[in-house]
Structures are given as C-alpha cells and as structure tokens.
Amino acid sequence: MEMKIRNVVILSLSILMLVGLGCVSKYVLSRNESFASQDINITSTDEIVQMSSNDVFYIKCFADWCPHCKNMETAWNTLHNKYNGTTVNGKRVFVKQMQDTNQNLSKFKSEFNVPINGFPTILRVYGGSGLAPIIDQYTGERGIEALSLYIDGQ
C-alpha cells in the first residue's frame, strides 16, 4: 500500500514538473481544439432555416484535402471558441463549418442558391424569422485578427 502511494506521488510530481516546463501544454491544446470542434459542425440546414432575426451565422465551407483549409483550422477554432453563442452588436453569433463531403453542404448550396467555387469559403448568413436568409461571402484575410474585426464590425 505504501509503495502504491509513493508511486502515485512520484507520478503526480512528474506531471506537475512537465506542466511547469511547458511540455504538456501542446497536448492539452490539441485536446481542447478537438473538443471545441465537436459542436462547430452544422448538423442540419434546419439550424439556418430556424434562425431568428437576431442570429448571424459565420460558416466556413471546407474540404479535408484543401491545404488552405488546413492552414485556417486553428484560426477558425479560435474564432469559434471566442464568439460562438455570444452577442455582438445585438446579434447572437454562431461560428460553424460545413465539410464538402457533408450532405448538408450540398443541400445548403441548392436550397439557398449559394455558389461555392473554392475552399475555404466563408459565408455570413443572417435574416431569419421566416424570411429567406441573406448570405454574404467574406473575401478578406483569413487570420484570427481580420476575422475578429469582421465579426465585431457587423
């Protein structure tokens, strides 16, 4: 029993030392990014159809094979963590994404007549309350600073 307690104490101290040295932070960050992205995906176009006039969606349409999409993944996850579910300028903000292999993207493109000619495509969707949503395409820089300014300015 005493040996087990000693081993647990040694393991705990080792983990604390690794955290203090910054050796574990990369693992923790990657776990948090994976966890955060769980609710980032649009699971149904009903989310957009049922939006209220006080909602605004920022949607990244992406492809797994696209290197630009992969480069943008960390910025988009950071944006999601910062803004999703918050209120900005009186609007409830949702930061989401749809993958090119997802049936929802095909349905979204045809249902709302949205041309997506390349990846990543970033869209702002607003309106709602029984009205057809208004969809704008964002064409600015893809870094977290530029995207944050875009959301804050809307």
Side-chain angles (χ1 to χ4, degrees), residues 40 42 56-60 76 79 83-84 88 91-97 122-126 138 147 150-154:
I40 197 170
I42 290 184
V56 60
F57 280 76
Y58 295 90
I59 302 170
K60 176 184 77 168
W76 197 256
L79 202 70
Y83 288 103
N84 194 59
V88 176
K91 300 284 186 186
R92 191 169 54 162
V93 173
F94 297 95
V95 178
K96 300 285 190 168
Q97 65 185 19
I122 299 172
L123 304 170
R124 179 176 62 127
V125 182
Y126 60 100
Y138 173 75
L147 290 164
Y150 179 65
I151 291 175
D152 289 335
Q154 300 302 308

Side-chain angles (χ1 to χ4, degrees), residues 70-86:
K70 289 179 183 187
N71 289 338
M72 191 182 165
E73 185 174 359
T74 300
W76 197 256
N77 285 341
T78 301
L79 202 70
H80 173 78
N81 291 334
K82 180 177 179 181
Y83 288 103
N84 194 59
T86 66

Side-chain angles (χ1 to χ4, degrees), residues 2-18:
E2 188 175 312
M3 183 67 143
K4 286 183 181 180
I5 292 172
R6 182 172 162 241
N7 288 343
V8 168
V9 168
I10 291 171
L11 179 62
S12 298
L13 289 172
S14 298
I15 291 171
L16 287 172
M17 186 173 68
L18 289 171

